[in-house]
Amino acid sequence: GKSRGVMWFGGSVSTVEAKETLKRRKVEQVFAELVEDERTREGRLLKRWCLMAQDAAVAHQQATADGSKGADASSTDPQPMPPRSVLAFANYFSETVLGGAFEVRPEHGPALTNLTHSLIFRRVHPWVLGPHGYNRTSIRRQDAAWRKQLRRIRRLPAETIGVPSEFLPGASDADADGGEGKRD
């Protein structure tokens, strides 16, 4: 027989897909309960790291609370934890900490990594990409300004921006190798 569709997060999915999603979420929930147990070294490490991400976001929010700096914030101002740091920690935590502690077999490594990524990203999302983290509007504005600057620079002659002559199109082989010519 044909599976009847159900509404799920604004879209229609089959009953089988809905059951798989619920099953996956249950596995993620049980995994989180085991890993976040602060009686273990792994649970305490995860909690400390999540608090560090939260502290970085709070410091960033306090430093920019007056709104006077906006997009001109100094590189020395507190910043929320970069998303690449979250990914690096998630990989480290999965492969080194959990994989080593529980002697995970190689064929189960990808599942452990996926569960760990899901757990960590759910815990730090509000502090990295949510309302307390990076100001995405400001980042989009800075990206647009950067692209505009690149378009202007691309219109300039290479000599104007200081490109050495040996890197200019049409430079002879003698120019490129310091005038010595090719040796065979």
Side-chain angles (χ1 to χ4, degrees):
K2 192 174 181 181
S3 291
R4 192 166 26 145
V6 296
M7 291 302 291
W8 192 265
F9 297 113
S12 179
V13 297
S14 72
T15 305
V16 172
E17 289 172 317
K19 286 180 181 177
E20 286 299 316
T21 299
L22 289 173
K23 183 178 173 184
R24 179 180 49 81
R25 294 210 180 206
K26 181 67 177 168
V27 168
E28 288 175 354
Q29 180 183 355
V30 170
F31 178 76
E33 290 170 4
L34 290 172
V35 172
E36 292 181 316
D37 184 350
E38 292 179 37
R39 294 174 295 178
T40 67
R41 180 179 78 79
E42 296 78 21
R44 290 189 300 274
L45 173 62
L46 180 60
K47 180 175 179 150
R48 276 196 315 270
W49 189 84
C50 289
L51 286 173
M52 194 171 63
Q54 181 179 352
D55 290 346
V58 169
H60 169 70
Q61 192 173 26
Q62 289 172 347
T64 57
D66 63 11
S68 64
K69 293 183 180 179
D72 299 326
S74 164
S75 63
T76 60
D77 289 339
Q79 297 295 314
M81 185 171 290
R84 68 180 170 272
S85 295
V86 177
L87 181 61
F89 177 77
N91 287 334
Y92 162 78
F93 193 74
S94 170
E95 296 165 12
T96 307
V97 177
L98 296 177
F102 301 116
E103 298 177 5
V104 175
R105 292 188 300 210
E107 63 268 19
H108 296 136
L112 177 64
T113 298
N114 289 338
L115 285 167
T116 305
H117 283 195
S118 176
L119 169 68
I120 290 173
F121 278 95
R122 286 176 196 259
R123 295 303 178 264
V124 299
H125 178 269
W127 304 108
V128 176
L129 297 171
H132 305 291
Y134 282 95
N135 180 336
R136 288 185 250 172
T137 303
S138 173
I139 290 172
R140 281 191 293 273
R141 193 172 39 251
Q142 291 173 21
D143 286 347
W146 175 254
R147 286 189 301 274
K148 183 178 179 181
Q149 185 177 4
L150 283 177
R151 283 191 301 273
R152 274 190 264 147
I153 289 174
R154 286 181 179 143
R155 290 185 206 122
L156 295 173
E159 297 86 3
T160 304
I161 57 174
V163 176
S165 60
E166 67 250 22
F167 297 110
L168 295 174
S172 70
D173 288 338
D175 291 340
D177 64 9
E180 296 178 21
K182 286 188 175 183
R183 295 181 213 181
D184 290 319

